[in-house]
């Protein structure tokens, strides 16, 4: 074939082509890396995604010099190649050579082979990559991961590899966004006889202090989850204020819930690796609101980056540097 480099620039109808080019590049890489990871898991070797991307890029650049189709790792052909016992990249060279020989000299021999025969070869190769044991494992361990697995499987089966991969990536991104927007938080209590503070749901016998609410945020705080975290802290404050102290009513001889005055809200920041400006504003608003109600906000063990932002923003001074502690036990005793 002749060289095509003379028509590379300027790109004709660039605006129409750019969206198609990006789609082909992303889908091609995702398809290639999906089958590569599956084969790496099956044969117990490490896969470097960066090297795969470099390889695809070089193959496409060289192929584009000679009017070739976009190059990518085929799911079905890779499955057939693996089921045939191939163990190295040399198999691809041998396959390409045989395909060239067939196309040049043997097309008349294979002209009348039914398409169903070719489909059976592909299906027999792909079936070996169907990991039903992984589906059972995901169902037992994490239902959401199983849902993503099923959506990917059904989308690939009925809509094609490209559409199936796009659907799987889209659903995975939505799940990541959801988990990021609604991070795990916990109300804490002290384990009896220790200085360790843990989730009161996980350790029901953990001791809580009168007038103090302890909680932990287990994720970075940024604009997408600030409102959720604020609502959770308010919920924990109400729970701590309404905690039943077991006071006996002498007349009715019954337990009377007593609403406590919360004086200190202590937030464990050790799992928080990052905060943004939205989080700083929300923490500042919470601190102002608590001060009006004569409640002191305390922070425990913020990371270096988080503490630097608290200092630069002036929030550390607004809270009071004396109310930022190294550990939860120091905050409780302080």
């Amino acid at each position: 074939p002749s060289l095509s480099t003379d028509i590379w620039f300027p790109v004709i109808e660039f605006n129409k082509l750019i969206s198609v080019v990006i789609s082909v590049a992303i889908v091609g890489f995702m398809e290639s890396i999906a089958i590569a990871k599956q084969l790496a898991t099956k044969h117990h070797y490490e896969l470097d995604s960066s090297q795969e991307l470099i390889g695809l890029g070089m193959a496409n650049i060289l192929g584009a010099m000679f009017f070739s189709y976009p190059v990518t790792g085929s799911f079905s052909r890779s499955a057939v190649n693996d089921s045939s016992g191939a163990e190295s990249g040399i198999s691809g060279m041998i396959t390409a050579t045989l395909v060239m020989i067939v196309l040049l000299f043997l097309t008349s021999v294979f002209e009348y082979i039914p398409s169903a025969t070719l489909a059976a070869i592909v299906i027999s190769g792909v079936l070996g990559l169907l990991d039903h044991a992984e589906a059972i494992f995901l169902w037992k361990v994490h239902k959401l991961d199983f849902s993503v697995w099923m959506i990917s499987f059904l989308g690939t089966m009925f809509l094609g590899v490209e559409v199936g991969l796009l659907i799987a990536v889209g659903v995975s991104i939505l799940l990541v966004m959801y988990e990021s927007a609604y991070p795990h938080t916990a109300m804490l209590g002290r384990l009896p006889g220790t200085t360790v503070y843990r989730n009161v749901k996980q350790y029901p016998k953990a001791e809580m202090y009168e007038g103090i609410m302890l909680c932990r945020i287990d994720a970075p705080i940024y604009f997408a989850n600030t409102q959720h975290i604020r609502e959770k802290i308010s919920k924990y404050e109400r729970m701590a204020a309404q905690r039943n102290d077991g006071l006996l009513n002498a007349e009715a001889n019954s337990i009377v819930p007593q609403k406590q005055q919360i004086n200190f809200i202590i937030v464990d920041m050790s799992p928080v690796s990052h905060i943004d400006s939205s989080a700083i504003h929300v923490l500042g608003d919470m601190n102002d609101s608590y001060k009006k109600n004569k409640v002191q906000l305390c922070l425990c063990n913020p990371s270096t980056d988080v503490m630097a932002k608290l200092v630069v923003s002036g929030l550390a001074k607004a809270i009071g540097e004396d109310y930022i502690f190294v550990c939860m036990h120091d905050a409780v005793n302080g």
Side-chain angles (χ1 to χ4, degrees):
S2 59
L3 284 171
S4 63
T5 53
D6 57 331
I7 63 172
W8 280 16
F9 300 101
V11 179
I12 302 174
E13 297 183 339
F14 177 82
N15 293 334
K16 293 182 179 179
L17 291 175
I18 186 63
S19 59
V20 177
V21 169
I22 292 175
S23 300
V24 169
I26 293 176
V27 173
F29 175 68
M30 292 302 299
E31 182 176 356
S32 299
I33 205 66
I35 182 63
K37 284 185 176 180
Q38 185 68 25
L39 293 175
T41 302
K42 180 179 179 181
H43 296 291
H44 309 290
Y45 61 83
E46 295 294 328
L47 176 69
D48 189 341
S49 301
S50 298
Q51 290 297 320
E52 292 289 324
L53 184 59
I54 292 172
L56 285 174
M58 292 301 299
N60 277 286
I61 290 173
L62 293 175
M65 295 180 179
F66 302 97
F67 294 95
S68 75
Y69 284 106
V71 179
T72 185
S74 171
F75 193 96
S76 57
R77 290 175 179 81
S78 298
V80 171
N81 200 34
D82 177 67
S83 64
S84 301
E87 295 184 359
S88 70
I90 297 177
S91 62
M93 299 172 60
I94 295 175
T95 301
T97 303
L98 291 176
V99 168
M100 181 180 67
I101 293 173
V102 169
L103 291 176
L104 292 176
F105 306 109
L106 301 175
T107 51
S108 59
V109 176
F110 297 98
E111 181 178 1
Y112 299 104
I113 292 181
S115 298
T117 303
L118 301 177
I121 295 174
V122 173
I123 291 173
S124 65
V126 172
L127 284 177
L129 297 176
L130 183 59
D131 192 358
H132 64 279
E134 180 67 14
I136 297 173
F137 172 79
L138 292 177
W139 173 258
K140 292 179 179 179
V141 174
H142 201 285
K143 299 296 191 296
L144 283 178
D145 286 347
F146 174 80
S147 300
V148 175
W149 189 94
M150 282 300 300
I151 291 171
S152 306
F153 172 71
L154 295 175
T156 304
M157 177 178 290
F158 294 106
L159 301 176
V161 174
E162 291 82 2
V163 177
L165 284 173
L166 287 175
I167 292 174
V169 171
V171 172
S172 299
I173 291 174
L174 289 176
L175 288 177
V176 170
M177 292 173 62
Y178 174 81
E179 292 181 357
S180 177
Y182 297 93
H184 180 264
T185 59
M187 191 173 181
L188 304 180
R190 184 174 66 87
L191 299 184
T194 71
T195 59
V196 177
Y197 294 80
R198 292 292 182 265
N199 189 343
V200 295
K201 286 187 177 180
Q202 186 177 1
Y203 298 92
K205 294 183 179 180
E207 299 172 351
M208 300 175 64
Y209 293 88
E210 183 176 352
I212 302 177
M213 190 279 286
L214 312 173
C215 67
R216 185 184 66 230
I217 302 170
D218 293 328
I221 310 175
Y222 71 113
F223 68 93
N225 61 19
T226 51
Q227 186 60 34
H228 171 74
I229 290 174
R230 183 172 190 167
E231 292 174 355
K232 295 293 284 187
I233 293 177
S234 297
K235 176 184 175 182
Y236 294 150
E237 181 186 5
R238 292 193 300 271
M239 291 172 60
Q242 296 172 358
R243 183 168 61 91
N244 189 339
D245 283 335
L247 297 178
L248 292 177
N249 185 328
E251 297 180 359
N253 195 27
S254 61
I255 295 177
V256 178
Q258 178 183 3
K259 187 172 182 180
Q260 302 181 56
Q261 172 63 39
I262 299 299
N263 299 316
F264 296 93
I265 293 178
I266 304 175
V267 181
D268 185 0
M269 301 279 286
S270 54
V272 180
S273 59
H274 167 74
I275 59 172
D276 66 0
S277 57
S278 298
I280 292 173
H281 285 308
V282 169
L283 289 174
D285 292 342
M286 292 171 62
N287 182 58
D288 294 340
S289 176
Y290 289 144
K291 283 190 173 181
K292 290 179 181 178
N293 296 322
K294 297 181 179 180
V295 178
Q296 177 62 52
L297 176 65
C298 304
L299 304 180
C300 292
N301 195 28
S303 67
T304 304
D305 293 338
V306 172
M307 189 62 198
K309 292 180 180 178
L310 294 177
V311 172
V312 171
S313 65
L315 183 57
K317 184 177 181 181
I319 294 174
E321 295 184 0
D322 292 338
Y323 295 103
I324 300 178
F325 299 90
V326 174
C327 66
M328 184 67 74
H329 196 61
D330 288 345
V332 172
N333 293 329

